[in-house]
Amino acid sequence: MPTEQHTARRIMVTGVGANPGFGLTRSLIRLGHTVIAADANRLAPGFLLPSVVPRIIPLAGDPDYPGVMAGLCRDLAVEAVVAGIEPDLEPLTQMVSQLDADGVRLWLPDAWSVRACTDKALFHEVLTEHGIATPRTWQPQEIDQVPDGTELVVKPRRGHGAQNVHFVRRREHARVLCELVQEPMVQERIYGSEFTADCLVDRTGRASVILRRRDLVKGGLAVVSTTFEDPNVHDLVVRTLGAVGARGVCCVQGFVSGDGTVTITELNLRIAGGFPLTEAAGADLVGQMVNGLFGLPVDHHRLTYRTGVFLTNYIETLAVGDVAELERTAAAKGEAR
């Protein structure tokens, strides 16, 4: 039987300019892996992490994306690719067969599951069909159906983070925002204690769930968070993972209201930006993800955690310098490998 993964691997992480990809890159480096850091932004913070192999890639919607990704994987002897941002999920799903033929591993659910999680309107439909509490949702043409006095959230059906998310109290304002937000949808605003569940779902469908409260959120990112336990939240998260057929590392977000009602708001098929708290609380999230990525068993006993552990984040200046010099240094690092 295979044993736990200790082999150093060459893993490409996309979206290293965003918190999830940046944090994942640092965690993989600490575990001894070589990271090919990929991003469409030439000044992505992840390019500046020590020992990474920085590479600029097209945006996920660019027709050159598949060719560039496949070429980089071959040229740099990439063994696996992990998406750090949502837009990369769908094109990578379409490349599974091609990358597999080149010996490059991905750990993603099937195409339907990816669509169900990246399209927030479809996600709402799936959860509703499974009887899982989720915010009431309307399409732009249905705004007149919104009950009077309902506080609303207008946001894109697709995308990541808190980009282009707006909170309003009147239908008229929501109607105007639907003209400005690309592919908009309207949801009921939910109040309560906001949480994230860091999850790892193995290939049999068994899930480990680590819960943390988002105690202070700024710009969609939890800057203060605390681990906790709640069997009702845990069970609803597991039901949500099963409803969409999630696999691999992912995160679920929701709210616990004052009366104890648990509402699920979204599921991301990638690691969460605040996952370092999960690891600080004792869960070997990234290590076990790498095991599963390379076909080894996930040790769920190593995904237990301590409650009452907190983490605080702040914005730090990573580097200041000349852009041209930075690009020369990045190019030299890449050529050296």
Side-chain angles (χ1 to χ4, degrees):
M1 182 175 179
T3 57
E4 187 175 354
Q5 180 61 250
H6 290 292
T7 305
R9 301 289 190 172
R10 293 178 64 82
I11 301 173
M12 177 184 286
V13 177
T14 71
V16 298
N19 261 29
F22 183 88
L24 177 58
T25 297
R26 288 205 298 188
S27 189
L28 287 169
I29 291 170
R30 283 195 294 267
L31 291 173
H33 302 291
T34 297
V35 177
I36 291 80
D39 201 281
N41 186 341
R42 62 185 180 137
L43 298 179
F47 288 167
L48 299 173
L49 288 171
S51 83
V52 303
V53 181
R55 284 294 184 272
I56 298 174
I57 60 173
L59 292 169
D62 192 303
D64 291 335
Y65 183 92
V68 170
M69 289 292 287
L72 286 176
C73 287
R74 288 192 298 268
D75 295 344
L76 299 174
V78 172
E79 297 177 78
V81 177
V82 181
I85 52 174
E86 275 78 11
D88 290 325
L89 291 169
E90 190 166 346
L92 286 174
T93 303
Q94 296 169 358
M95 294 177 64
V96 168
S97 297
Q98 178 185 3
L99 291 175
D100 185 64
D102 291 335
V104 181
R105 291 179 175 267
L106 288 166
W107 192 9
L108 293 171
D110 61 30
W112 176 86
S113 297
V114 171
R115 286 196 300 273
C117 295
T118 54
D119 182 339
K120 295 178 177 64
L122 178 56
F123 181 70
H124 170 267
E125 292 177 12
V126 173
L127 264 58
T128 300
E129 289 172 1
H130 284 78
I132 297 172
T134 191
R136 289 179 291 173
T137 300
W138 299 270
Q139 297 303 311
Q141 66 273 18
E142 299 171 331
I143 289 179
D144 289 338
Q145 300 174 21
V146 176
D148 291 338
T150 304
E151 293 190 46
L152 300 171
V153 182
V154 180
K155 59 185 178 182
R157 286 181 61 157
R158 298 173 177 83
H160 57 94
Q163 296 179 4
N164 298 311
V165 174
H166 305 275
F167 301 97
V168 297
R169 295 177 178 271
R170 298 175 59 182
R171 285 190 299 257
E172 294 80 3
H173 294 164
R175 187 174 287 109
V176 171
L177 285 167
C178 283
E179 297 292 327
L180 303 175
V181 174
Q182 187 174 11
E183 284 193 282
M185 58 183 288
V186 181
Q187 283 191 327
E188 168 190 21
R189 185 173 186 180
I190 303 297
Y191 285 94
S193 175
E194 189 175 2
F195 69 86
T196 293
D198 292 315
C199 309
L200 189 62
V201 187
D202 67 24
R203 297 181 190 277
T204 72
R206 180 181 175 184
S208 280
V209 174
I210 299 93
L211 301 175
R212 49 188 172 83
R213 283 189 300 271
R214 294 159 60 87
D215 299 309
L216 179 61
V217 179
K218 294 185 178 182
L221 298 175
V223 294
V224 181
S225 48
T226 311
T227 55
F228 72 103
E229 285 183 353
D230 185 316
N232 293 327
V233 176
H234 176 278
D235 292 349
L236 195 61
V237 167
V238 171
R239 284 180 58 197
T240 301
L241 296 167
V244 300
R247 290 293 185 273
V249 68
C250 49
C251 60
V252 178
Q253 290 187 11
F255 289 84
V256 181
S257 67
D259 64 3
T261 300
V262 184
T263 303
I264 302 297
T265 54
E266 63 182 79
L267 191 162
N268 300 306
L269 294 171
R270 53 145 175 89
I271 206 161
F275 85 90
L277 174 57
T278 281
E279 296 203 316
D284 181 29
L285 185 65
V286 175
Q288 296 307 310
M289 179 205 74
V290 174
N291 278 355
L293 181 61
F294 286 95
L296 294 176
V298 170
D299 185 351
H300 290 274
H301 294 293
R302 296 196 59 185
L303 290 166
T304 58
Y305 66 104
R306 302 186 307 278
T307 60
V309 179
F310 77 92
L311 180 144
T312 62
N313 277 317
Y314 72 103
I315 301 299
E316 179 182 5
T317 300
L318 185 62
V320 176
D322 182 82
V323 172
E325 180 61 29
L326 177 64
E327 291 175 340
R328 285 193 293 271
T329 301
K333 287 174 66 177
E335 290 170 1
R337 292 169 173 81

